[in-house]
Structure formats: structure tokens, C-alpha cells
Amino acid sequence: MIKKILVAFDGSAYSRKALEEVCDLVRCLNAEVTALYVIPKIPPHAEPELKLPSLDPSYLGFLRDQGKSILENAERIAEERGVRIVTALEHGYPVDVICKYAYEGGFDLVVLGSRGTNGSKLLPLGSVSERVARVCKKSVLIVK
């Protein structure tokens, strides 16, 4: 039985659709929902293997504020649908953070949009969605 759902929410149209789907689903399941925003440790288009320098602290503060605003939007979306959610703001490599947060938090399902705010529209999945589906130890639902 699905009791805890983690929604990776980056503010994109795809993550909004994922959250909307979860709000519809949660009415049937009576599950707890958490929306997670991950502040990327490096620019989203770069690979962790490149070992780029960490973000400047002042820029990180800007990203933290932006993340809070994005999560407030997630709360509004859920509230409009009569669903209460918990929000979480983390910092790191998005794939690693999402998978670790899901595992350590005891989530039953991870839901994310098929793509985020970056990347080619020609590919069926964004890099984060594809990697989370591949490496996460929890069940993953990708919403188009």
C-alpha cells in the first residue's frame, strides 16, 4: 500500500503536472505527500563527474530563496485541489538527493515529471527523470 509519496518539484510545467496527478491520486490512497525541491550543487546542465567548483554562497542564497518560492507554488497547487502537502528544500546533485531522500524518508513512491526546466525537448525523458528511474531503490512514476 502506498502511504508516503515524494514529488520532485522544480517548478517546471512537467513537475506541476506530476504534482496535479499526485493530488488526484492521493484522494484514493489517503497518503502523505512531500514536495521536494533540490538546489543543484552545480549548474543543472553539467555532469557531476566534471568536478566543477561549488556555487558561490551569495548565488546559493538566491537559489535557496527561489526554491522556497517554487515550493510555495507547490503548496498553492495542492491547496487548490484540497490536498495538504509537506515541502522540503535540499541542496546537492538532484538525482542523488531525490533517491537518498526517498530511501531515508521511507517513501513508497517517487513521482516526477518526464523532464525539468532544462534539456532537449527531443528526448522522451530528461536526464534527472531517466537517472532517478534507473537508480532509485523506490518505485518511480514519471508523468508526461
Side-chain angles (χ1 to χ4, degrees), residues 7 9 15-23 33 74 77-78 85:
V7 181
F9 191 82
S15 68
R16 180 185 174 100
K17 177 95 166 101
L19 180 59
E20 290 169 348
E21 293 286 339
V22 166
C23 288
V33 179
I77 292 167
I85 64 170

Side-chain angles (χ1 to χ4, degrees), residues 71-139:
L71 288 172
E72 287 169 3
N73 187 38
E75 288 176 318
R76 276 191 298 278
I77 292 167
E79 188 177 297
E80 288 170 2
R81 286 159 179 73
V83 175
R84 186 186 167 287
I85 64 170
V86 175
T87 61
L89 182 68
E90 296 289 330
H91 177 236
Y93 301 117
V95 173
D96 296 342
V97 172
I98 293 166
C99 294
K100 182 178 179 184
Y101 197 93
Y103 183 77
E104 291 181 355
F107 287 87
D108 303 303
L109 180 65
V110 177
V111 181
L112 57 165
S114 58
R115 62 182 60 260
T117 56
N118 299 304
S120 169
K121 304 269 191 252
L122 300 174
L123 299 173
L125 290 179
S127 61
V128 172
S129 302
E130 185 274 327
R131 288 184 186 142
V132 168
R134 195 165 24 93
V135 302
C136 190
K137 291 181 166 80
K138 299 294 182 168
S139 294

